[in-house]
Amino acid sequence: MTSLVARDGHVVWHPYTQAGFGVEPLPVVSARGSTLTLEDGREILDGISSWWCCLHGHAHPALVRAGTEQFKKLDHVIFAGVTHEPAILLAERLCAVVPHGFERVFYSDNGSTAVEVAIKMAVQRARHRGERRIRFLALEGGYHGDTFGAMAVGARSIFSAPFDEMLFSVEFLSLEGTERDMERVESACRGGEVAAFIFEPLVQGAGGMRMYDAVVLDRYCEVVRRYGGLCIADEVMTGFGRTGELFASGEMRIAPDIICLSKGITSGTLPLAVTMCRNELFDEFISDDHSRTFFHGHTYTANPIACAVALASLELTTADECRAARERIGSSHRSFVDELMGLKGVGSPRAQGTIVACDILTEEPGGYQNRAAQRARDFFIERGVLLRPLGNVLYLMPPYCFSEVELKQTYDAMIDFASAVR
Ligand SMILES: Cc1ncc(COP(=O)(O)O)c(C=O)c1O
């Protein structure tokens, strides 16, 4: 019988993968809780929550039940001109739990589309006001997705290089909020052309798990708001408890105008995303003039099964048990950071909620092309964990069901990797 890997090699094109490097994909046949089972029967821990989205572990019974029940009742229906209870219920629940009082939910189906929607809302809102706002502010080293708008507001990198000339221009600000940054925000906003400032609050994910204080966001947002621009919190990665609290933007003093959520929304089971705002913004699109319509939508917008699973996941996420699990992981991570401090070969150990990261100090340059990342995969699989460093940044972002034993197994492997890599 031909292996999955051999068959895959003939017909599949994988994301972020240079087929020329000949690195074989891992053939996964099933998953339960923290564990992925491979074709050859090996079991490995999902240390990256399957790209940061699996919150409650794989095949959680409550989520399977919610999805199955909904499947039998209403699988999918167009969402333009149609509505259904799972979408309404989820919108009601999200408005109740997301900090800073959001009132409207626009559905889409992945993190990049949630960001595209936010960008388009900001630009079109200005147009309705008779303003020409087509400039954006963002943070250096940020990542917001791979579609064109989302790519434009993200850091320029090897990912974006072939398209850089086609991306609209963005003013990138540092995480430090220096005097020079403040001057740049002021001067960019003064012309009245800035539509919005977008940021990943507290932790920049793909940019290397860079952690920072929310105070700088308040300072930038204050200026942007003063000149009539909007503030967009991209919580695609940080949302639903990743950074400890339910949402990282809860740490901000200034309320963002728009928030983007995806990934953890269905606990990694089905594609779904939301872009949320307040009625103040929504009302600016209400008119008897069709040209003021927000002409954006996707086929699977507000898929009922995804919404039903998201509701069940939100119930789990807001329960005391989940908070306790996040606190337990957060506290283990902090002890692990202490352990990493001063270890040779390890730089900037850091933790925020359920995320722990450090830099692997090698002679090679950092970033995505650092070969530490390529060596890491086999090393960690050998040790029973799936980890996928971002260049020389090694991190662990487990599902909230990761046990103490599973954490210890992963920490030990990370320490051994850091010691072995030089
Ligand atoms: C902060 C942030 N925004 C947006 C995205 C894009 O999400 P998706 O991969 O679902 O398009 C990501 C994905 O990693 C992300 O981390």
Side-chain angles (χ1 to χ4, degrees):
M1 208 168 55
T2 320
S3 73
L4 291 178
V5 172
R7 286 163 55 198
D8 173 286
H10 289 294
V11 287
V12 181
W13 188 341
H14 285 267
Y16 299 104
T17 303
Q18 176 46 264
F21 290 169
V23 180
E24 293 183 345
L26 266 190
V28 175
V29 291
S30 64
R32 286 278 175 289
S34 317
T35 307
L36 305 171
T37 303
L38 306 186
E39 193 182 21
D40 62 8
R42 272 181 301 163
E43 294 194 331
I44 56 169
L45 296 172
D46 186 353
I48 51 170
S49 299
S50 286
W51 243 343
W52 317 344
C53 57
C54 178
L55 304 185
H56 305 298
H58 293 276
H60 191 290
L63 306 188
V64 173
R65 205 177 313 120
T68 312
E69 289 304 309
Q70 184 56 45
F71 204 154
K72 289 188 232 165
K73 216 187 286 172
L74 171 65
D75 49 2
H76 185 64
V77 64
I78 180 174
F79 204 61
V82 174
T83 196
H84 50 74
E85 194 170 26
I88 299 167
L89 264 175
L90 180 60
E92 287 170 349
R93 286 290 293 138
L94 286 171
C95 289
V97 300
V98 174
H100 300 299
F102 286 93
E103 298 164 316
R104 287 281 159 184
V105 175
F106 188 96
Y107 285 102
S108 64
D109 46 24
N110 62 71
S112 304
T113 56
V115 169
E116 293 291 337
V117 166
I119 290 171
K120 288 172 74 172
M121 278 179 180
V123 171
Q124 191 174 333
R125 161 201 179 251
R127 206 179 151 91
H128 294 171
R129 295 175 156 209
E131 297 169 354
R132 185 177 176 275
R133 290 179 180 267
I134 51 165
R135 291 182 69 190
F136 280 79
L137 302 177
L139 294 179
E140 280 169 9
Y143 176 78
H144 300 284
D146 289 346
T147 51
F148 267 85
M151 211 172 19
V153 290
R156 302 294 181 265
S157 68
I158 186 173
F159 288 19
S160 68
F163 319 104
D164 280 355
E165 275 183 314
M166 300 169 70
L167 303 179
F168 55 79
S169 86
V170 173
E171 190 84 35
F172 291 102
L173 308 166
S174 83
L175 297 182
E176 285 77 43
T178 60
E179 218 169 289
R180 207 177 103 68
D181 286 313
M182 296 314 295
E183 280 164 19
R184 285 170 60 218
V185 186
E186 282 274 349
S187 81
C189 291
R190 204 176 293 127
E193 286 191 354
V194 170
F197 164 49
I198 185 166
F199 51 86
E200 297 158 85
L202 297 189
V203 184
Q204 289 186 311
M209 297 300 153
R210 300 208 301 164
M211 300 173 186
Y212 67 100
D213 206 301
V215 172
V216 69
L217 296 177
D218 287 328
R219 295 178 61 203
Y220 290 149
C221 288
E222 189 278 315
V223 182
V224 173
R225 298 280 293 275
R226 177 149 44 84
Y227 288 101
L230 297 177
C231 299
I232 304 170
D234 176 355
E235 290 229 40
V236 167
M237 189 277 277
T238 53
F240 302 101
R242 266 298 157 207
T243 60
E245 291 306 310
L246 264 189
F247 295 94
S249 54
E251 302 272 306
M252 294 173 64
R253 195 176 43 78
I254 294 188
D257 302 285
I258 299 180
I259 185 167
C260 305
L261 304 171
S262 186
K263 288 196 182 278
I265 195 167
T266 59
S267 188
T269 54
L270 289 162
L272 185 72
V274 294
T275 306
M276 298 174 67
C277 67
R278 289 186 201 82
N279 284 333
E280 200 184 349
L281 175 57
F282 175 73
D283 289 348
E284 296 200 48
F285 289 71
I286 298 178
S287 165
D288 51 13
D289 174 357
H290 204 32
S291 72
R292 289 174 82 104
T293 307
F294 189 54
F295 288 111
H296 189 106
H298 299 277
T299 310
Y300 287 102
T301 288
N303 172 263
I305 305 173
C307 289
V309 175
L311 267 167
S313 176
L314 193 55
E315 200 166 313
L316 294 175
T317 312
T318 50
D320 290 344
E321 293 89 323
C322 182
R323 172 170 291 278
R326 299 198 305 270
E327 278 168 8
R328 172 182 57 79
I329 293 172
S331 147
S332 294
H333 279 0
R334 286 191 295 277
S335 305
F336 180 50
V337 164
D338 291 341
E339 209 178 322
L340 290 175
M341 289 281 181
L343 259 193
K344 253 182 128 184
V346 170
S348 311
R350 52 200 183 270
Q352 176 73 55
T354 65
I355 309 166
V356 66
C358 65
D359 300 344
I360 299 296
L361 305 176
T362 64
E363 317 272 88
E364 294 170 43
Y368 261 82
Q369 285 142 299
N370 186 296
R371 281 202 295 270
Q374 287 159 34
R375 282 195 293 267
R377 198 183 84 140
D378 294 345
F379 180 95
F380 286 111
I381 287 167
E382 199 58 29
R383 299 288 296 261
V385 195
L386 178 64
L387 291 186
R388 192 170 182 274
L390 301 155
N392 69 325
V393 176
L394 185 57
Y395 73 93
L396 166 65
M397 195 191 293
Y400 304 151
C401 62
F402 237 58
S403 70
E404 286 306 294
V405 173
E406 290 165 341
L407 285 172
K408 175 84 171 58
Q409 176 185 339
T410 312
Y411 296 152
D412 288 349
M414 288 168 80
I415 288 180
D416 291 347
F417 179 75
S419 318
V421 84
R422 282 160 299 131

